[in-house]
Amino acid sequence: MANLQPSLSIPPSFAGASPPSPSPIGGGGGVGGGVGQPAKDRKMASAEQLVLDLCDPELRENALLELSKKREIFQDLAPLLWHSFGTVAALLQEIVSIYPALSPPTLSPGASNRVCNALALLQCVASHPETRILFLNAHIPLYLYPFLNTTSKTRPFEYLRLTSLGVIGALVKVDDTEVISFLLQTEIIPLCLRTMEMGSELSKTVATFIVQKILLDDVGLRYICATAERFFAVGSVLANMVVSLAEQPSTRLLKHIIRCYLRLSDNSRACAALQTCLPDMLKDGTFNNCLRDDPTTRRWLQQLLLNVTGGGMGAAPQPGLDHMMGI
């Protein structure tokens, strides 16, 4: 599994940190680091050769590994991948080839590593402004859904879920109603809820981030609040996660959960329902220590409590709620 880590490139907003700077090639740096046009040309030629290698079954595994490790230093890799003949088909072939190993769960670490490298390249395509909508119109996210529907907690399956979520996360990271509308026409909400229930802390965080981004879009909020069934499906999973976090705190996961609740409270019907189903642990100071160094999330929780207790949506947090936050 030594090669898995480079393929798990989660958008920085998931983890609340800036992405690491790519390692320079040949000892050079960025624009001011001494890398001239010849070096850039060599890098591009290298990327083009590796993309060509993807279509050769004997060379594909190494090309997947090298491209996934170096994708941040290859400029415009996404358009190159998308517009090169047979390349996307080769990546999809890698994905569908492991479907038989999903049920019963027989996925090996090596096979998981290889398909995660392919998924990392698809995340690159999903992230690029020139290829994002093309990627969506081709319905390629649907090929990832079987991976999100798995329940095995072994490392090969967890890496597979996490990297698949990274592709979806790359789509929703840029606010785009067209992306949200597409995802809502599929099974992405139930699949994210499944991961939020049984995934690792990191995969739960990414899945909750995706639900948060869907909720932050007006179309997404209306969709989830349109029926009691949808609202309570989301609300019950969020509530169970709050209970779990009381035993094993995670500030970054709690942040996304609170933001989801706050956005739900923007809907009048959902806000009324939250008066009875908002977890007591969000009201009684259970997470005071967890949030002490996170003023943004603390303000979100204050506003959530204000909305739910009838203070009015959009109103400024009142000092009277400070005791609930231990401020």
Side-chain angles (χ1 to χ4, degrees):
M1 300 293 286
N3 292 329
L4 272 168
Q5 197 58 35
S7 70
L8 300 180
S9 177
I10 304 302
S13 60
F14 296 155
S18 299
S21 300
S23 301
I25 287 183
V31 174
V35 176
Q37 190 61 39
K40 293 181 180 178
D41 291 343
R42 284 196 299 273
K43 283 195 292 185
M44 201 60 207
S46 172
E48 290 173 356
Q49 184 58 56
L50 288 169
V51 169
L52 288 174
D53 290 348
L54 289 173
C55 292
D56 186 334
E58 294 185 359
L59 302 176
R60 184 180 299 164
E61 185 170 9
N62 179 69
L64 287 169
L65 176 60
E66 292 301 313
L67 283 169
S68 67
K69 288 196 300 185
K70 300 175 181 178
R71 65 191 184 278
E72 292 182 355
I73 62 175
F74 291 143
Q75 292 186 353
D76 293 325
L77 176 59
L80 180 61
L81 288 168
W82 186 261
H83 295 294
S84 297
F85 179 79
T87 302
V88 174
L91 296 177
L92 293 179
Q93 187 178 39
E94 287 294 310
I95 288 172
V96 301
S97 69
I98 67 162
Y99 284 175
L102 301 182
S103 183
T106 57
L107 183 64
S108 69
S112 175
N113 181 63
R114 178 165 170 161
V115 77
C116 282
N117 288 334
L119 289 169
L121 297 184
L122 289 182
Q123 178 175 327
C124 179
V125 175
S127 301
H128 198 282
E130 182 181 323
T131 53
R132 181 185 302 112
I133 297 302
L134 298 172
F135 180 85
L136 204 64
N137 290 341
H139 290 194
I140 290 179
L142 299 181
Y143 287 91
L144 281 54
Y145 286 11
F147 302 156
L148 300 179
N149 203 33
T150 58
T151 56
S152 173
K153 295 188 178 184
T154 62
R155 284 170 61 89
F157 280 91
E158 179 57 30
Y159 279 126
L160 187 60
R161 279 191 298 270
L162 181 58
T163 315
S164 300
L165 287 166
V167 179
I168 307 300
L171 285 172
V172 301
K173 188 179 176 186
V174 177
D175 297 330
D176 188 333
T177 296
E178 186 175 356
V179 171
I180 302 302
S181 297
F182 170 84
L183 293 175
L184 290 176
Q185 293 170 17
T186 68
E187 292 296 307
I188 193 60
I189 295 292
L191 291 173
C192 282
L193 294 180
R194 177 191 291 267
T195 301
M196 289 158 67
E197 287 182 308
M198 51 75 62
S200 68
E201 188 234 334
L202 184 53
S203 61
K204 285 181 178 181
T205 301
V206 181
T208 308
F209 170 84
I210 294 170
V211 172
Q212 172 189 317
K213 294 295 285 186
I214 290 173
L215 280 168
L216 287 174
D217 188 278
D218 289 342
V219 170
L221 180 63
R222 284 197 301 269
Y223 177 89
I224 289 177
C225 297
T227 69
E229 181 182 18
R230 291 175 190 168
F231 168 79
F232 284 109
V234 173
S236 63
V237 171
L238 291 174
N240 290 337
M241 293 171 74
V242 170
V243 173
S244 298
L245 287 179
E247 301 174 1
Q248 294 182 313
S250 166
T251 302
R252 63 179 176 181
L253 179 52
L254 180 62
K255 179 175 186 174
H256 293 305
I257 292 171
I258 290 173
R259 190 64 185 93
C260 286
Y261 271 126
L262 177 57
R263 179 56 172 162
L264 285 171
S265 74
D266 287 340
N267 178 278
S268 58
R269 293 173 62 202
C271 189
L274 288 174
Q275 294 177 9
T276 57
C277 68
L278 188 69
D280 289 337
M281 291 176 178
L282 292 178
K283 310 173 188 176
D284 62 11
T286 297
F287 297 105
N288 283 353
N289 289 335
C290 189
L291 298 178
R292 192 166 298 280
D293 297 322
D294 189 344
T296 299
T297 306
R298 222 164 50 227
R299 283 197 304 272
W300 288 348
L301 181 52
Q302 270 194 299
Q303 186 64 60
L304 169 64
L305 297 176
L306 183 69
N307 292 352
V308 171
T309 55
M313 292 179 289
Q318 299 299 314
L321 291 179
D322 287 352
H323 70 283
M324 294 186 181
M325 297 296 299
I327 299 174

